[in-house]
Coordinates of all heavy atoms in Angstrom, one line a residue:
M1 N 12.4 -7.9 11.8 CA 11.8 -6.7 11.8 C 12.8 -5.9 12.9 O 13.1 -6.3 13.8 CB 10.4 -6.7 12.3 CG 9.8 -5.3 12.3 SD 8.1 -5.4 12.8 CE 7.4 -6.5 11.6
K2 N 13.1 -4.6 12.4 CA 13.9 -3.7 13.2 C 13.1 -2.7 13.9 O 12.3 -2.0 13.3 CB 14.9 -3.1 12.2 CG 15.9 -2.2 12.8 CD 16.9 -1.6 11.8 CE 17.9 -0.7 12.4 NZ 18.7 -0.1 11.3
K3 N 13.4 -2.5 15.2 CA 12.8 -1.4 15.9 C 13.4 -0.1 15.6 O 14.6 0.1 15.4 CB 13.1 -1.7 17.4 CG 12.2 -1.0 18.4 CD 12.5 -1.5 19.9 CE 11.3 -1.4 20.7 NZ 11.5 -2.0 22.0
S4 N 12.5 1.0 15.3 CA 13.0 2.2 14.8 C 13.3 3.1 16.0 O 14.1 4.0 15.9 CB 11.8 3.0 14.0 OG 10.8 3.5 14.8
G5 N 12.8 2.9 17.2 CA 13.1 3.6 18.3 C 12.1 4.8 18.5 O 12.3 5.7 19.5
D6 N 11.3 5.0 17.5 CA 10.4 6.2 17.6 C 9.0 5.7 18.1 O 8.6 4.5 18.0 CB 10.1 6.7 16.1 CG 11.4 7.2 15.5 OD1 11.9 8.2 16.0 OD2 11.9 6.7 14.5
L7 N 8.3 6.7 18.8 CA 7.1 6.5 19.3 C 6.1 7.4 18.7 O 6.4 8.6 18.3 CB 7.0 6.7 20.8 CG 8.0 5.8 21.7 CD1 7.9 6.2 23.1 CD2 7.5 4.3 21.5
C8 N 4.8 7.0 18.5 CA 3.8 8.0 18.1 C 2.5 7.7 18.8 O 2.3 6.6 19.4 CB 3.6 7.9 16.6 SG 2.9 6.3 16.0
T9 N 1.6 8.7 18.9 CA 0.4 8.5 19.6 C -0.9 8.5 18.6 O -0.7 9.1 17.5 CB 0.2 9.5 20.6 OG1 0.3 10.8 20.0 CG2 1.2 9.5 21.8
I10 N -1.9 8.0 18.9 CA -3.1 8.0 18.2 C -4.0 9.1 18.6 O -4.2 9.3 19.8 CB -3.9 6.7 18.3 CG1 -3.0 5.5 17.9 CG2 -5.1 6.7 17.4 CD1 -3.6 4.1 18.2
D11 N -4.4 10.1 17.7 CA -5.2 11.2 18.1 C -6.7 10.7 18.2 O -7.0 9.7 18.0 CB -5.0 12.4 17.2 CG -5.6 12.3 15.9 OD1 -6.4 11.3 15.6 OD2 -5.3 13.1 15.0
K12 N -7.6 11.7 18.6 CA -8.9 11.3 18.9 C -9.6 10.8 17.6 O -10.7 10.2 17.7 CB -9.7 12.6 19.4 CG -9.2 13.0 20.8 CD -9.9 14.3 21.2 CE -9.3 14.8 22.5 NZ -9.9 16.0 23.0
L13 N -9.1 11.1 16.4 CA -9.8 10.6 15.2 C -9.1 9.4 14.7 O -9.4 8.9 13.6 CB -9.7 11.7 14.1 CG -10.4 13.0 14.4 CD1 -10.2 14.0 13.3 CD2 -12.0 12.7 14.6
G14 N -8.1 8.8 15.5 CA -7.5 7.6 15.1 C -6.3 7.7 14.2 O -5.8 6.8 13.7
R15 N -5.8 8.9 14.1 CA -4.7 9.2 13.2 C -3.4 9.1 13.9 O -3.3 9.4 15.1 CB -4.8 10.6 12.5 CG -6.0 10.7 11.6 CD -6.1 12.2 11.2 NE -6.4 13.0 12.3 CZ -6.8 14.3 12.2 NH1 -7.1 14.8 11.0 NH2 -7.0 15.0 13.3
I16 N -2.4 8.7 13.2 CA -1.0 8.8 13.7 C -0.1 9.5 12.9 O -0.4 9.8 11.7 CB -0.4 7.3 13.9 CG1 -0.2 6.6 12.5 CG2 -1.1 6.4 14.9 CD1 0.6 5.4 12.5
L17 N 0.9 10.1 13.4 CA 1.9 10.9 12.7 C 3.1 9.9 12.5 O 3.8 9.7 13.6 CB 2.2 12.1 13.4 CG 3.2 13.1 12.8 CD1 2.8 13.6 11.4 CD2 3.6 14.2 13.7
I18 N 3.5 9.7 11.3 CA 4.8 9.0 11.1 C 5.9 9.9 11.2 O 5.9 11.0 10.5 CB 4.9 8.3 9.7 CG1 3.7 7.3 9.6 CG2 6.1 7.6 9.5 CD1 3.4 6.8 8.3
P19 N 6.9 9.8 12.0 CA 8.0 10.7 12.3 C 8.7 11.0 10.9 O 8.8 10.2 10.1 CB 8.9 10.0 13.2 CG 8.1 9.0 13.9 CD 7.0 8.6 12.9
V20 N 9.1 12.3 10.8 CA 9.7 12.8 9.6 C 10.9 12.0 9.2 O 11.2 11.7 8.0 CB 10.1 14.3 9.6 CG1 11.1 14.6 10.7 CG2 10.4 14.8 8.3
K21 N 11.6 11.6 10.2 CA 12.9 10.8 10.0 C 12.5 9.5 9.1 O 13.1 9.1 8.2 CB 13.5 10.3 11.3 CG 14.7 9.4 11.2 CD 15.3 9.1 12.6 CE 14.5 8.0 13.2 NZ 15.1 7.6 14.5
L22 N 11.4 8.8 9.5 CA 10.9 7.6 8.9 C 10.4 8.0 7.5 O 10.5 7.2 6.5 CB 9.9 6.7 9.6 CG 10.5 6.3 11.0 CD1 9.5 5.6 11.8 CD2 11.7 5.3 10.7
R23 N 9.6 9.1 7.4 CA 9.0 9.4 6.0 C 10.1 9.7 5.1 O 9.9 9.3 3.9 CB 8.1 10.7 6.3 CG 6.7 10.3 6.9 CD 5.9 11.6 7.0 NE 6.2 12.3 8.2 CZ 6.2 13.6 8.3 NH1 5.8 14.4 7.3 NH2 6.5 14.2 9.4
R24 N 11.2 10.4 5.5 CA 12.3 10.7 4.6 C 13.0 9.3 4.2 O 13.3 9.1 3.1 CB 13.2 11.5 5.2 CG 12.7 13.0 5.3 CD 13.8 13.9 5.9 NE 13.2 15.3 5.9 CZ 13.5 16.2 6.8 NH1 14.4 16.0 7.8 NH2 13.0 17.4 6.7
K25 N 13.2 8.5 5.2 CA 13.9 7.2 4.9 C 13.2 6.4 3.9 O 13.8 5.7 3.0 CB 14.1 6.4 6.3 CG 14.8 5.1 6.1 CD 15.0 4.4 7.4 CE 15.6 3.0 7.2 NZ 15.8 2.3 8.4
F26 N 11.8 6.4 4.0 CA 11.0 5.6 3.2 C 10.4 6.3 2.1 O 9.5 5.8 1.3 CB 9.9 4.8 3.9 CG 10.6 3.8 4.8 CD1 10.8 4.0 6.2 CD2 11.0 2.5 4.3 CE1 11.3 3.1 7.0 CE2 11.5 1.5 5.2 CZ 11.7 1.8 6.6
D27 N 10.8 7.6 1.8 CA 10.4 8.4 0.7 C 8.8 8.4 0.8 O 8.2 8.3 -0.4 CB 10.9 8.0 -0.5 CG 10.7 9.0 -1.7 OD1 10.6 10.2 -1.4 OD2 10.5 8.5 -2.8
L28 N 8.3 8.7 1.9 CA 6.8 8.8 2.0 C 6.4 10.2 1.9 O 6.9 11.1 2.5 CB 6.2 8.2 3.3 CG 6.6 6.7 3.5 CD1 6.1 6.4 5.0 CD2 5.8 5.9 2.5
N29 N 5.4 10.6 1.1 CA 4.9 11.9 0.8 C 3.4 12.0 0.9 O 2.7 11.0 0.9 CB 5.4 12.2 -0.7 CG 6.9 12.3 -0.9 OD1 7.6 13.0 -0.3 ND2 7.3 11.3 -1.7
P30 N 3.0 13.3 1.1 CA 1.5 13.4 1.3 C 0.8 12.7 0.2 O 1.2 12.8 -1.1 CB 1.3 15.0 1.3 CG 2.6 15.4 1.8 CD 3.6 14.5 1.2
D31 N -0.4 12.1 0.4 CA -1.2 11.4 -0.5 C -0.7 10.0 -1.0 O -1.3 9.4 -1.8 CB -1.7 12.2 -1.7 CG -2.4 13.4 -1.3 OD1 -3.2 13.3 -0.2 OD2 -2.3 14.5 -1.9
D32 N 0.5 9.7 -0.6 CA 1.0 8.3 -0.8 C 0.0 7.3 -0.2 O -0.6 7.6 0.9 CB 2.4 8.1 -0.2 CG 3.4 8.6 -1.1 OD1 3.1 9.1 -2.2 OD2 4.7 8.6 -0.7
V33 N -0.3 6.1 -0.7 CA -1.1 5.2 -0.2 C -0.4 4.1 0.5 O 0.6 3.6 -0.1 CB -2.1 4.6 -1.3 CG1 -3.0 3.5 -0.7 CG2 -2.9 5.7 -1.9
L34 N -0.8 3.7 1.8 CA -0.1 2.6 2.4 C -1.1 1.6 2.7 O -2.3 1.8 2.8 CB 0.4 3.1 3.8 CG 1.4 4.3 3.9 CD1 1.7 4.8 5.2 CD2 2.7 3.9 3.1
E35 N -0.6 0.3 2.7 CA -1.4 -0.8 2.8 C -1.1 -1.3 4.2 O 0.0 -1.3 4.7 CB -1.1 -1.9 1.8 CG -2.1 -3.0 1.7 CD -2.0 -3.8 0.4 OE1 -0.8 -3.9 -0.2 OE2 -3.0 -4.4 0.1
L36 N -2.2 -1.7 5.0 CA -2.1 -2.2 6.4 C -2.1 -3.7 6.3 O -2.9 -4.3 5.8 CB -3.1 -1.6 7.2 CG -3.4 -0.2 7.2 CD1 -4.6 0.2 8.1 CD2 -2.1 0.6 7.7
Y37 N -1.2 -4.3 7.1 CA -1.1 -5.8 7.4 C -1.2 -5.9 8.8 O -0.7 -5.1 9.7 CB 0.1 -6.4 6.9 CG 0.4 -6.3 5.4 CD1 0.9 -5.2 4.7 CD2 -0.1 -7.4 4.5 CE1 1.0 -5.1 3.3 CE2 0.1 -7.3 3.2 CZ 0.6 -6.2 2.5 OH 0.7 -6.2 1.2
T38 N -1.8 -7.0 9.2 CA -1.8 -7.3 10.7 C -1.5 -8.7 10.9 O -1.7 -9.5 10.2 CB -3.2 -7.0 11.3 OG1 -4.2 -7.9 10.7 CG2 -3.7 -5.6 11.0
D39 N -1.1 -8.9 12.3 CA -1.0 -10.3 12.8 C -1.7 -10.1 14.1 O -2.3 -9.2 14.5 CB 0.4 -11.0 12.7 CG 1.4 -10.3 13.5 OD1 1.0 -9.5 14.4 OD2 2.6 -10.4 13.3
E40 N -1.4 -11.2 14.9 CA -2.0 -11.2 16.3 C -1.7 -9.9 17.1 O -2.4 -9.4 17.9 CB -1.7 -12.4 17.1 CG -2.3 -13.7 16.4 CD -3.7 -13.6 16.4 OE1 -4.4 -13.2 17.3 OE2 -4.3 -14.0 15.2
E41 N -0.4 -9.4 16.9 CA 0.1 -8.4 17.9 C 0.6 -7.1 17.2 O 0.9 -6.1 17.8 CB 1.3 -8.9 18.7 CG 0.9 -10.1 19.6 CD 2.1 -10.6 20.4 OE1 3.1 -10.2 20.2 OE2 1.9 -11.6 21.1
R42 N 0.6 -7.1 15.8 CA 1.2 -6.0 15.1 C 0.4 -5.4 14.0 O -0.5 -6.1 13.4 CB 2.5 -6.4 14.6 CG 3.6 -6.8 15.6 CD 4.7 -7.3 14.9 NE 4.6 -8.5 14.2 CZ 5.5 -9.3 13.7 NH1 6.7 -8.9 13.7 NH2 5.2 -10.4 13.1
I43 N 0.6 -4.1 13.7 CA 0.0 -3.5 12.5 C 1.2 -3.1 11.7 O 2.1 -2.3 12.2 CB -0.8 -2.3 12.8 CG1 -2.1 -2.7 13.7 CG2 -1.4 -1.6 11.5 CD1 -2.9 -1.5 14.2
I44 N 1.3 -3.5 10.5 CA 2.5 -3.2 9.6 C 2.1 -2.3 8.5 O 1.0 -2.6 7.8 CB 3.2 -4.4 9.1 CG1 3.7 -5.3 10.4 CG2 4.3 -4.2 8.2 CD1 4.0 -6.7 10.0
L45 N 2.7 -1.2 8.2 CA 2.4 -0.3 7.2 C 3.4 -0.5 6.0 O 4.6 -0.7 6.2 CB 2.7 1.2 7.6 CG 1.9 1.7 8.8 CD1 2.3 3.1 9.1 CD2 0.4 1.6 8.5
Q46 N 2.9 -0.7 4.8 CA 3.8 -0.9 3.6 C 3.2 -0.1 2.5 O 2.0 0.1 2.3 CB 3.7 -2.4 3.3 CG 4.7 -2.7 2.1 CD 4.8 -4.1 1.9 OE1 4.9 -4.9 2.8 NE2 4.7 -4.6 0.6
R47 N 4.1 0.5 1.7 CA 3.7 1.3 0.5 C 2.8 0.3 -0.3 O 3.1 -0.7 -0.6 CB 4.9 1.8 -0.2 CG 4.5 2.6 -1.5 CD 5.7 3.0 -2.2 NE 6.7 3.6 -1.5 CZ 6.7 4.9 -1.1 NH1 5.7 5.7 -1.5 NH2 7.7 5.4 -0.5
Y48 N 1.7 1.0 -0.7 CA 0.7 0.2 -1.6 C 1.3 0.1 -3.0 O 1.6 1.1 -3.6 CB -0.7 0.9 -1.6 CG -1.7 0.2 -2.5 CD1 -2.1 -1.1 -2.3 CD2 -2.0 0.8 -3.7 CE1 -3.0 -1.7 -3.1 CE2 -2.9 0.2 -4.6 CZ -3.4 -1.1 -4.2 OH -4.2 -1.8 -5.1
I49 N 1.4 -1.1 -3.5 CA 1.7 -1.4 -4.9 C 0.6 -1.9 -5.6 O 0.1 -3.1 -5.2 CB 3.0 -2.3 -4.9 CG1 4.2 -1.7 -4.1 CG2 3.4 -2.6 -6.3 CD1 5.3 -2.7 -3.9
P50 N 0.1 -1.3 -6.6 CA -1.2 -1.8 -7.3 C -0.9 -3.1 -7.9 O 0.3 -3.3 -8.4 CB -1.4 -0.6 -8.3 CG -0.7 0.5 -7.9 CD 0.5 0.1 -7.0
Y51 N -1.9 -4.0 -8.0 CA -1.7 -5.2 -8.6 C -3.1 -5.6 -9.3 O -4.1 -5.2 -8.9 CB -1.3 -6.3 -7.6 CG -2.2 -6.4 -6.5 CD1 -3.4 -7.3 -6.5 CD2 -2.1 -5.7 -5.3 CE1 -4.2 -7.4 -5.4 CE2 -2.9 -5.8 -4.2 CZ -4.1 -6.6 -4.3 OH -4.9 -6.8 -3.2
C52 N -2.9 -6.5 -10.2 CA -4.2 -7.0 -11.0 C -5.1 -7.8 -10.1 O -4.6 -8.7 -9.3 CB -3.7 -7.9 -12.2 SG -5.1 -8.6 -13.0
V53 N -6.3 -7.5 -10.0 CA -7.3 -8.1 -9.1 C -7.5 -9.6 -9.5 O -7.9 -10.4 -8.8 CB -8.7 -7.5 -9.0 CG1 -8.5 -6.1 -8.5 CG2 -9.3 -7.4 -10.4
F54 N -7.2 -10.0 -10.8 CA -7.3 -11.3 -11.2 C -6.1 -12.2 -11.0 O -6.2 -13.4 -10.7 CB -7.8 -11.3 -12.6 CG -9.1 -10.7 -12.9 CD1 -9.2 -9.5 -13.6 CD2 -10.4 -11.2 -12.4 CE1 -10.4 -8.9 -13.8 CE2 -11.5 -10.6 -12.6 CZ -11.6 -9.5 -13.3
C55 N -4.9 -11.7 -11.3 CA -3.8 -12.5 -11.3 C -2.6 -12.0 -10.4 O -1.5 -12.6 -10.4 CB -3.3 -12.7 -12.7 SG -2.5 -11.2 -13.5
S56 N -2.7 -10.9 -9.8 CA -1.8 -10.3 -8.9 C -0.5 -9.7 -9.7 O 0.4 -9.2 -9.0 CB -1.2 -11.2 -7.8 OG -2.4 -11.6 -7.0
N57 N -0.5 -9.7 -11.0 CA 0.6 -9.1 -11.8 C 0.6 -7.6 -11.5 O -0.4 -6.9 -11.2 CB 0.3 -9.3 -13.3 CG 1.3 -8.8 -14.2 OD1 2.4 -8.3 -13.7 ND2 1.1 -8.8 -15.4
Q58 N 1.9 -7.0 -11.4 CA 2.1 -5.6 -11.1 C 2.4 -4.8 -12.3 O 2.8 -3.6 -12.2 CB 3.1 -5.5 -10.0 CG 2.6 -6.2 -8.7 CD 3.6 -6.0 -7.6 OE1 4.8 -6.0 -7.8 NE2 3.2 -6.2 -6.4
D59 N 2.5 -5.4 -13.5 CA 2.9 -4.6 -14.6 C 1.8 -4.4 -15.6 O 0.7 -5.1 -15.6 CB 4.1 -5.5 -15.5 CG 5.2 -5.8 -14.6 OD1 5.6 -4.8 -13.9 OD2 5.7 -6.9 -14.6
D60 N 1.8 -3.4 -16.4 CA 0.9 -3.1 -17.5 C -0.5 -3.0 -16.9 O -1.5 -3.7 -17.4 CB 0.9 -4.2 -18.6 CG 2.2 -4.0 -19.4 OD1 2.8 -2.8 -19.5 OD2 2.7 -5.1 -19.7
L61 N -0.7 -2.2 -15.9 CA -2.1 -2.1 -15.3 C -2.8 -1.0 -15.7 O -2.4 0.1 -16.1 CB -1.8 -2.0 -13.7 CG -1.1 -3.0 -12.9 CD1 -0.9 -2.7 -11.5 CD2 -1.9 -4.4 -13.0
T62 N -4.1 -1.2 -15.8 CA -5.2 -0.2 -16.1 C -6.1 -0.1 -14.9 O -6.6 -1.1 -14.4 CB -6.0 -0.7 -17.4 OG1 -5.1 -0.8 -18.5 CG2 -7.0 0.4 -17.7
E63 N -6.4 1.1 -14.5 CA -7.2 1.3 -13.3 C -8.7 1.2 -13.8 O -9.0 1.8 -14.8 CB -7.0 2.8 -12.7 CG -7.7 2.9 -11.4 CD -7.4 4.1 -10.7 OE1 -6.5 4.9 -11.1 OE2 -8.0 4.4 -9.6
F64 N -9.4 0.4 -13.1 CA -10.8 0.2 -13.3 C -11.6 0.5 -12.0 O -11.5 -0.4 -11.2 CB -11.1 -1.1 -14.0 CG -12.5 -1.4 -14.4 CD1 -13.0 -0.8 -15.5 CD2 -13.4 -2.1 -13.5 CE1 -14.3 -1.1 -15.9 CE2 -14.6 -2.4 -13.9 CZ -15.2 -1.8 -15.1
G65 N -12.2 1.7 -12.0 CA -12.8 1.9 -10.6 C -11.7 2.2 -9.7 O -10.8 2.9 -10.0
K66 N -11.7 1.6 -8.5 CA -10.5 1.7 -7.6 C -9.7 0.4 -7.6 O -8.9 0.2 -6.8 CB -11.0 2.0 -6.2 CG -11.6 3.3 -6.1 CD -12.0 3.7 -4.7 CE -12.5 5.0 -4.5 NZ -12.9 5.4 -3.3
K67 N -9.9 -0.5 -8.6 CA -9.1 -1.8 -8.8 C -8.2 -1.6 -10.1 O -8.4 -0.7 -10.9 CB -10.1 -2.9 -8.9 CG -11.1 -3.0 -7.9 CD -10.5 -3.5 -6.6 CE -11.5 -3.7 -5.5 NZ -10.9 -4.1 -4.2
Y68 N -7.3 -2.5 -10.2 CA -6.5 -2.5 -11.4 C -6.6 -3.9 -12.0 O -6.8 -4.9 -11.4 CB -5.1 -2.4 -10.9 CG -4.8 -1.0 -10.4 CD1 -5.0 -0.7 -9.0 CD2 -4.4 0.0 -11.2 CE1 -4.8 0.6 -8.5 CE2 -4.2 1.3 -10.7 CZ -4.4 1.6 -9.3 OH -4.2 2.8 -8.9
V69 N -6.5 -3.8 -13.4 CA -6.5 -5.1 -14.2 C -5.3 -5.0 -15.2 O -5.0 -4.0 -15.7 CB -7.8 -5.2 -15.1 CG1 -7.8 -6.5 -15.8 CG2 -9.0 -5.1 -14.1
C70 N -4.5 -6.1 -15.3 CA -3.3 -6.1 -16.2 C -3.8 -6.3 -17.6 O -4.9 -6.8 -17.9 CB -2.4 -7.2 -15.7 SG -2.8 -8.8 -16.1
K71 N -2.9 -6.0 -18.5 CA -3.1 -6.1 -19.9 C -3.5 -7.5 -20.3 O -4.5 -7.7 -21.1 CB -1.8 -5.7 -20.7 CG -1.9 -5.6 -22.1 CD -0.5 -5.1 -22.8 CE -0.7 -5.1 -24.3 NZ 0.6 -4.7 -24.8
N72 N -2.8 -8.6 -19.8 CA -3.1 -9.9 -20.1 C -4.5 -10.3 -19.8 O -5.3 -10.9 -20.6 CB -2.2 -10.9 -19.5 CG -0.7 -10.7 -20.0 OD1 -0.6 -10.3 -21.2 ND2 0.2 -11.2 -19.3
C73 N -5.0 -9.9 -18.6 CA -6.3 -10.2 -18.1 C -7.4 -9.4 -19.0 O -8.5 -10.0 -19.2 CB -6.5 -9.9 -16.6 SG -5.6 -11.2 -15.6
I74 N -7.1 -8.2 -19.3 CA -8.0 -7.5 -20.2 C -8.2 -8.2 -21.5 O -9.2 -8.3 -22.0 CB -7.4 -6.1 -20.4 CG1 -7.6 -5.2 -19.1 CG2 -8.3 -5.3 -21.6 CD1 -7.0 -3.9 -19.2
E75 N -7.0 -8.7 -22.1 CA -7.1 -9.4 -23.3 C -8.0 -10.8 -23.2 O -8.8 -11.0 -24.0 CB -5.7 -9.9 -23.8 CG -5.0 -8.6 -24.4 CD -3.6 -8.9 -24.8 OE1 -3.2 -10.2 -24.9 OE2 -2.9 -8.0 -25.1
K76 N -7.8 -11.4 -22.0 CA -8.5 -12.6 -21.7 C -10.1 -12.3 -21.6 O -10.9 -13.0 -22.1 CB -8.0 -13.3 -20.6 CG -6.8 -14.0 -20.6 CD -6.3 -14.6 -19.3 CE -4.8 -15.2 -19.5 NZ -4.3 -15.6 -18.2
L77 N -10.4 -11.2 -20.9 CA -11.7 -10.8 -20.7 C -12.4 -10.4 -22.0 O -13.6 -10.7 -22.2 CB -11.8 -9.6 -19.6 CG -11.5 -10.1 -18.3 CD1 -11.3 -8.8 -17.4 CD2 -12.6 -10.9 -17.7
T78 N -11.7 -9.7 -22.9 CA -12.4 -9.2 -24.1 C -12.5 -10.5 -25.1 O -13.4 -10.3 -26.0 CB -11.5 -8.3 -24.8 OG1 -10.1 -8.8 -25.1 CG2 -11.3 -6.9 -24.1
N79 N -11.9 -11.6 -24.9 CA -12.1 -12.8 -25.7 C -13.3 -13.6 -25.2 O -13.6 -14.6 -25.8 CB -10.8 -13.6 -25.8 CG -9.8 -12.9 -26.6 OD1 -10.1 -12.2 -27.5 ND2 -8.5 -13.1 -26.2
I80 N -13.9 -13.3 -24.0 CA -15.0 -14.2 -23.5 C -16.3 -13.9 -24.3 O -16.5 -12.8 -24.7 CB -15.2 -13.8 -22.0 CG1 -14.0 -14.2 -21.2 CG2 -16.5 -14.4 -21.6 CD1 -14.1 -14.0 -19.7
Ligands
ZN101 ZN1 -4.1 -10.0 -14.5

């Protein structure tokens, strides 16, 4: 993991501002969704990549509610 050298503060509502330099570098835009990962000492932000809730496949997804299901799993479910 590489240190960016940037600092940010948490406001009263718990929000942080990602410096423009990093938003441009990672092509982050308003309303993009980030996924949060944690370990004992860190919080890591990563662009959210939708995946099938049943098999984790990332291709041929259909949104169902706020979850995603892939084409293969939809076919399996329709055959039940
Ligand atoms: Zn699937």
Side-chain angles (χ1 to χ4, degrees):
M1 185 175 304
K2 185 177 174 185
K3 198 175 207 176
S4 75
D6 295 297
L7 300 174
C8 61
T9 55
I10 301 172
D11 73 10
K12 291 177 184 176
L13 298 176
R15 297 175 296 196
I16 61 169
L17 177 67
I18 299 172
V20 68
K21 176 178 84 177
L22 294 177
R23 283 183 276 146
R24 287 182 181 150
K25 178 178 179 178
F26 291 98
D27 191 28
L28 297 174
N29 297 294
D31 298 327
D32 282 353
V33 177
L34 301 177
E35 194 165 25
L36 305 176
Y37 293 86
T38 65
D39 62 19
E40 294 300 319
E41 299 176 358
R42 297 178 290 188
I43 300 171
I44 299 165
L45 306 174
Q46 181 173 317
R47 182 184 304 281
Y48 176 67
I49 300 169
Y51 57 88
C52 175
V53 294
F54 296 112
C55 71
S56 301
N57 183 7
Q58 296 177 336
D59 300 319
D60 295 323
L61 298 175
T62 299
E63 188 172 356
F64 183 77
K66 291 186 176 182
K67 305 287 185 185
Y68 292 88
V69 182
C70 75
K71 184 178 179 181
N72 290 339
C73 287
I74 289 174
E75 288 177 10
K76 289 177 186 174
L77 289 168
T78 55
N79 292 328
I80 292 177

